[in-house]
């Protein structure tokens, strides 16, 4: 997690937390705070980590992918994740994640409805989507050997959701929820545990769903890991980590040089 955060900070250019505190030993706290602010303001971040990432993604995506898609799945080209992001755009975003931290995951999911109208189907409201999860939000997993294949039998995914607090219609809070995907008695199961902003479980019993996957074997979780080296469950190294550490070092050198010159 610390490695992933270091890369993300380098990509975003948010590197102030990596600077030393030059004012903490000053007898006058007010002067110490002023000196620290001048020290931080003097640092210059030339974000070559972000530029390199953009170049890597651009080199791969400079030619539009070619992939024959069945007519029933052509909606993915316009809306792959349920929020209006097309398939190739999602592929580009996913590539950026893998090139930076080297890990992620994709879950095929669909709305939980017991009965659907023809109008809902025609409007595409029930289409399966591809949900991407960052490395930090894949918090637990387990695999089992099935014949000659290592199959994922449990994954825990962290998500955020909004909920209303009190009677104020404009006041919403952000809580965490954990989506547990597992195989129970040979069937694919989803459970959802919701927590409020203070970390308390909202309900005593988690929501439980057994998704219907059509012709797909019920003993399969439609989730796949994505990595920089391969797509198994193991954690690959972050491709941009060496560059991120160099970027942080240059940022520190810049701050020290400016302070020394001053």
């Amino acid at each position: 997690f610390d490695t992933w955060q270091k890369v993300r900070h380098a990509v975003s250019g948010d590197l102030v937390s990596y600077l030393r505190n030059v004012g903490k030993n000053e007898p006058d706290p007010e002067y110490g705070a002023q000196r620290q602010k001048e020290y931080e303001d003097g640092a210059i971040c030339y974000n070559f980590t972000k530029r390199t990432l953009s170049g890597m993604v651009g080199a791969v995506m400079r030619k539009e992918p070619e992939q024959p898609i069945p007519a029933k799945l052509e909606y993915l080209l316009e809306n792959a994740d349920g929020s209006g992001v097309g398939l190739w755009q999602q592929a580009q975003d996913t590539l950026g994640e893998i090139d930076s931290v080297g890990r992620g995951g994709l879950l095929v999911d669909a709305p939980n409805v017991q009965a659907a109208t023809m109008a809902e189907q025609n409007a595409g409201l029930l289409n399966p989507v591809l949900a991407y999860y960052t490395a930090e939000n894949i918090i637990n997993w387990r695999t089992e050997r099935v014949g000659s294949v290592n199959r994922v039998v449990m994954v825990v995914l962290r998500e955020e959701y909004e909920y209303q607090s009190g009677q104020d219609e404009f006041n919403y809070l952000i809580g965490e929820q954990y989506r547990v995907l597992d195989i129970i008695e040979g069937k694919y199961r989803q459970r959802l545990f919701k927590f409020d902003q203070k970390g308390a479980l909202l309900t005593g019993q988690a929501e439980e769903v057994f998704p219907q996957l059509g012709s797909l074997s019920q003993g399969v979780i439609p989730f796949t890991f994505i990595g920089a080296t391969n797509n198994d469950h193991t954690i690959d190294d972050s491709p941009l980590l060496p560059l991120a550490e160099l970027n942080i070092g240059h940022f520190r050198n810049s701050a020290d040089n400016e302070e020394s010159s001053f």
Side-chain angles (χ1 to χ4, degrees):
F1 179 83
D2 294 337
T3 297
W4 298 332
Q5 288 300 294
K6 183 178 291 186
V7 174
R8 294 196 187 282
H9 289 158
V11 171
S12 67
D14 182 16
L15 303 178
V16 173
S17 62
Y18 296 93
L19 295 178
R20 59 192 177 91
N21 190 338
V22 298
K24 67 178 180 179
N25 294 324
E26 293 293 342
D28 183 355
E30 184 176 347
Y31 172 72
Q34 178 185 350
R35 183 184 172 195
Q36 179 65 22
K37 184 178 186 306
E38 291 176 349
Y39 176 69
E40 294 176 358
D41 291 345
I44 298 174
C45 176
Y46 182 76
N47 200 336
F48 48 77
T49 305
K50 182 178 181 180
R51 290 170 180 264
T52 301
L53 177 61
S54 299
M56 292 167 66
V57 174
V60 174
M61 302 298 292
R62 66 180 180 271
K63 181 182 178 182
E64 186 168 325
E66 298 178 5
Q67 175 64 49
I69 296 178
K72 290 184 178 180
L73 296 179
E74 286 182 349
Y75 71 90
L76 292 172
L77 296 174
E78 302 296 332
N79 185 11
D81 66 348
S83 62
V85 176
L87 183 62
W88 304 141
Q89 180 61 53
Q90 189 191 52
Q92 180 172 311
D93 294 342
T94 303
L95 175 62
E97 281 283 309
I98 301 308
D99 278 346
S100 54
V101 299
R103 181 171 173 79
L106 285 169
L107 171 67
V108 178
D109 206 6
N112 177 27
V113 290
Q114 298 299 327
T117 65
M118 185 61 67
E120 288 176 325
Q121 293 180 1
N122 293 336
L125 299 179
L126 307 178
N127 288 334
V129 295
L130 293 168
Y132 179 78
Y133 289 85
T134 63
E136 294 88 342
N137 289 322
I138 306 173
I139 64 169
N140 201 356
W141 62 93
R142 191 173 69 250
T143 62
E144 284 184 2
R145 194 77 173 176
V146 180
S148 60
V149 179
N150 256 343
R151 184 171 293 174
V152 178
V153 295
M154 188 273 287
V155 183
V156 181
L157 305 170
R158 179 173 54 204
E159 304 169 349
E160 288 185 345
Y161 74 99
E162 290 185 347
Y163 68 97
Q164 195 169 12
S165 176
Q167 300 300 317
D168 184 355
E169 63 176 302
F170 301 107
N171 184 24
Y172 279 81
L173 300 177
I174 303 295
E176 284 188 341
Q177 63 184 24
Y178 292 83
R179 189 175 302 274
V180 181
L181 320 175
D182 61 5
I183 302 297
I184 181 75
E185 297 179 354
K187 295 182 179 180
Y188 167 44
R189 175 178 67 171
Q190 277 199 27
R191 287 174 293 163
L192 198 60
F193 298 86
K194 290 189 175 184
F195 296 81
D196 63 19
Q197 197 174 46
K198 297 180 179 179
L201 187 63
L202 289 185
T203 56
Q205 186 174 1
E207 303 175 24
E208 187 178 67
V209 177
F210 288 89
Q212 301 297 316
L213 302 178
S215 59
L216 185 64
S217 171
Q218 290 187 337
V220 174
I221 298 176
F223 178 90
T224 182
F225 293 96
I226 310 173
T229 304
N230 54 49
N231 294 332
D232 63 12
H233 65 281
T234 58
I235 299 177
D236 297 336
D237 293 334
S238 301
L240 285 184
L241 178 61
L243 197 62
E245 292 177 332
L246 183 62
N247 215 157
I248 293 170
H250 280 201
F251 186 70
R252 287 171 174 161
N253 292 342
S254 171
D256 291 340
N257 182 64
E258 292 292 328
E259 186 198 34
S260 176
S261 299
F262 177 76

